[in-house]
Amino acid sequence: MGNVSAVDIGIDVGSTTTKICALDALSRNLLHTSYERHGARQAESVRAALNSLARLFPRASIRLALTGSGAAPIADKLGVPFVQEVVANACAVQALYPRTRCAIELGGQDAKMIYFDNGIEQRMNGTCAGGTGAFIDEIASVLNLPIEQFDAAACRGRTVYDISGRCGVYAKTDIQPLLNQGASRDDLALSAFHAIAKQTLGGLAQGIDVCPPIIFEGGPLTFNPTLISVFKERLNLADDQAIVPDHPETMVARGAALSLSSMFADAPATIDPAAAAQTLVGFTSADDDHAPGKPFFETAAERKAFARRNQLPE
């Protein structure tokens, strides 16, 4: 990779993960992808990504575009283009899989359906993380299953129970009695996937026909192939009507990279990744509400003094 002369890079800063896609600027060939949980430290994750890219492409001319729910203030700080994530996704889908009529994308805390029949039309869950990666994490916790084993458990499931996909709290209320009655964790994991598919199709399609070919994208669909099988079953899709792209978890980042040769072809986007990383030292965006706050007590002595002042009467 050190021999590449020019690289276009897209970074997708989502609610729970940061995704990177690097393309050869001339051939458009894929050079590198990365998918990492950022632990709510979005700017820090981008800084780490830039340092990594500086090592991967030490002699290349690099252009950068950012996308994703947490990317706009970081892009502004770096002085590089920001592309809205649905537009980035459309760039990638239309360039790589032009026969697609609908995209189903599940993220860490949002779900989207994008239609390509008459221009681009989007549906997104705007108020709740039901039916997303966070929902899977929550159900895995209830079932006491490591998240890495959730898909395998669902694949073994045979019985589908009616579980709410609209809200994790409602889902827990449905699941706990079933556990008490002896329902297997495998069946409940499979039922959770059916709940996600039902919530996505019922909540986002909003009466619009979901016509194949359909592309499946995002981390939850990448790492849970059984969930794709559930969608195919509910939509009655043949294998050739379901598109699972290479690296579906980084499709939006790839779209951001592709946008550099189309919508941002004349925009200033060239960076020195190491210098750009330095720019983000200590930076926290307005969306990064997990930035460390002032502690309640600076020392153990302060805490003890507080406890003495506020102790309950005997």
Side-chain angles (χ1 to χ4, degrees):
M1 286 188 285
N3 297 325
V4 180
S5 60
V7 181
D8 286 346
I9 292 171
I11 298 181
D12 175 10
V13 188
S15 57
T16 60
T17 57
T18 295
K19 286 78 68 177
I20 306 168
C21 183
L23 304 176
D24 186 311
L26 300 178
S27 69
R28 321 308 300 153
N29 290 336
L30 182 64
L31 301 174
H32 170 74
T33 66
S34 174
Y35 177 98
E36 299 286 345
R37 290 191 180 240
H38 54 55
R41 299 182 181 276
Q42 295 171 319
E44 186 176 316
S45 73
V46 174
R47 183 169 67 86
L50 291 168
N51 281 324
S52 174
L53 292 165
R55 293 189 294 270
L56 282 171
F57 307 106
R59 290 178 290 278
S61 173
I62 290 178
R63 301 184 81 228
L64 173 67
L66 269 65
T67 187
S69 60
I74 302 173
D76 184 61
K77 179 70 174 177
L78 296 176
V80 298
F82 168 78
V83 53
Q84 201 276 341
E85 56 195 289
V86 173
V87 176
N89 196 5
C91 283
V93 170
Q94 292 174 329
L96 301 171
Y97 304 95
R99 68 189 188 96
T100 299
R101 298 181 67 187
C102 177
I104 295 177
E105 182 201 348
L106 299 186
Q109 294 183 359
D110 60 28
K112 304 183 192 72
M113 293 181 70
I114 307 172
Y115 301 92
F116 295 95
D117 279 338
N118 298 300
I120 299 173
E121 185 173 356
Q122 176 206 351
R123 297 286 186 271
M124 177 178 176
N125 64 334
T127 58
C128 180
T132 67
F135 180 88
I136 298 174
D137 287 347
E138 197 164 0
I139 302 307
S141 177
V142 174
L143 298 180
N144 197 27
L145 275 172
I147 191 65
E148 299 82 7
Q149 298 177 20
F150 197 93
D151 184 75
C155 188
R156 295 190 297 265
R158 293 295 177 265
T159 301
V160 177
Y161 297 99
D162 188 17
I163 292 173
S164 173
R166 184 174 180 81
C167 173
V169 175
Y170 295 160
K172 290 178 183 178
T173 303
D174 293 335
I175 288 172
Q176 197 57 57
L178 291 167
L179 279 173
N180 295 343
Q181 294 164 23
S184 77
R185 283 170 169 74
D186 292 351
D187 288 344
L188 293 171
L190 177 62
S191 300
F193 280 166
H194 276 272
I196 289 171
K198 180 173 63 176
Q199 169 65 17
T200 302
L201 298 173
L204 300 185
Q206 298 176 0
I208 298 177
D209 291 335
V210 184
C211 300
I214 298 170
I215 193 167
F216 294 93
E217 306 169 274
L221 288 163
T222 301
F223 303 113
N224 297 286
T226 303
L227 180 53
I228 295 179
S229 298
V230 168
F231 271 104
K232 288 171 63 178
E233 177 185 334
R234 284 185 166 266
L235 290 166
N236 195 28
L237 297 180
D239 287 343
D240 63 352
Q241 294 176 318
I243 301 170
V244 182
D246 294 333
H247 301 287
E249 76 281 13
T250 58
M251 277 286 285
V252 175
R254 189 163 185 169
L258 287 168
S259 74
L260 288 165
S261 61
S262 54
M263 59 192 298
F264 296 116
D266 298 322
T270 302
I271 63 161
D272 175 338
Q278 192 64 27
T279 302
L280 294 178
V281 172
F283 175 76
T284 55
S285 69
D287 292 335
D288 192 358
D289 55 9
H290 296 78
K294 183 179 179 181
F296 288 116
F297 309 106
E298 296 287 353
T299 65
E302 285 186 11
R303 179 169 183 167
K304 288 180 180 179
F306 174 85
R308 283 196 302 270
R309 291 195 306 271
N310 295 278
Q311 64 182 350
L312 294 173
E314 296 181 358

